């Protein structure tokens, strides 16, 4: 299993509330899925997804009743997998995916970065590495935005495989927590 956040866009009528069925979505590589569907169906933005989440979760409130910035990376309804040490899969409805796409389309990445940089920079080499660190997170932001926009345009839901989710005790992502 990759230590990367993995996303799949799925037409809502095809979704199943079965962890086994949802896991099968990730068995084929993204190229195979992309070829079969005729459009990109999944992205793997990078292994620093927990820190990417910090950039969005710290964003000013969008609307009190709907905080799509908290759904970009770690959000979604959990679908629990067999085995107590395995992190759940997460599902965003098509409507939630559309709100996330709207948030990412209008979000000012530089403002989000400015809010989170003090917490993130020490983990990535400090101020001397800011340009490189900013570039890596900005690139992941662009990839996430492109994925969610394509997904929203298609009216699809999103399934997420988040290895080693914080507090899950999931050995699949243990290296990321250290």
């Amino acid at each position: 299993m990759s230590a990367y956040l993995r996303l799949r866009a799925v037409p809502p009528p095809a979704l199943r509330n079965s962890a086994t069925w949802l896991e099968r979505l990730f068995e084929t590589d993204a190229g195979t899925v992309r070829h079969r569907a005729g459009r990109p169906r999944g992205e793997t933005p990078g292994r620093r997804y927990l820190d990417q989440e910090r950039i969005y979760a710290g964003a000013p409130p969008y609307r009190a009743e709907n905080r799509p910035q908290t759904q970009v990376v770690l959000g979604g309804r959990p679908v629990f997998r067999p085995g107590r040490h395995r992190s759940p899969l997460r599902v965003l409805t098509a409507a939630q995916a559309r709100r996330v796409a709207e948030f990412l389309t209008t979000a000012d990445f530089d403002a989000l970065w400015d809010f989170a940089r003090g917490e993130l920079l020490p983990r990535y080499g400090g101020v001397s590495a800011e340009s490189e660190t900013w570039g890596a997170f900005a690139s992941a932001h662009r990839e996430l935005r492109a994925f969610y926009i394509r997904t929203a345009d298609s009216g699809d839901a999103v399934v997420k495989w988040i290895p080693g989710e914080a507090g899950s005790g999931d050995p699949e992502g243990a290296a990321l927590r250290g």
Side-chain angles (χ1 to χ4, degrees):
M1 171 58 203
S2 168
Y4 290 84
L5 167 67
R6 299 180 68 198
L7 306 168
R8 287 286 185 262
V10 179
L15 273 178
R16 304 290 178 268
N17 195 27
S18 159
T20 302
W21 186 90
L22 293 172
E23 282 179 335
R24 285 188 196 130
L25 291 173
F26 297 98
E27 287 177 356
T28 58
D29 69 350
T32 303
V33 174
R34 203 179 342 262
H35 176 70
R36 259 196 314 227
R39 65 179 192 257
R41 304 300 296 163
E43 296 293 332
T44 306
R47 70 182 271 164
R48 301 293 183 189
Y49 59 88
L50 294 173
D51 285 337
Q52 193 75 33
E53 171 69 7
R54 284 181 181 88
I55 290 173
Y56 302 119
Y62 186 75
R63 288 189 295 254
E65 73 280 2
N66 176 21
R67 293 183 44 93
Q69 65 269 39
T70 63
Q71 296 179 329
V72 177
V73 179
L74 299 180
R77 176 182 54 83
V79 176
F80 294 96
R81 301 183 301 155
R84 67 184 192 125
H85 295 296
R86 299 179 74 196
S87 61
L89 297 157
R90 303 225 169 241
V91 177
L92 291 179
T93 65
Q96 289 169 320
R98 185 175 54 255
R99 286 190 293 272
V100 169
E102 290 168 2
F103 166 74
L104 291 173
T105 299
T106 60
D108 176 352
F109 180 78
D110 288 327
L112 294 172
W113 172 255
D114 287 344
F115 191 79
R117 74 184 283 279
E119 182 180 349
L120 297 178
L121 278 181
R123 290 197 288 274
Y124 296 93
V127 176
S128 64
E130 182 167 7
S131 178
E132 181 181 337
T133 304
W134 178 92
F137 282 104
S139 176
H141 171 76
R142 287 189 300 273
E143 291 175 21
L144 284 165
R145 183 179 59 215
F147 169 79
Y148 277 107
I149 288 171
R150 285 191 310 268
T151 300
D153 287 348
S154 299
D156 290 340
V158 174
V159 178
K160 301 175 187 180
W161 185 316
I162 306 170
E165 193 169 12
S168 71
D170 189 345
E172 293 172 343
L176 294 179
R177 291 190 295 272

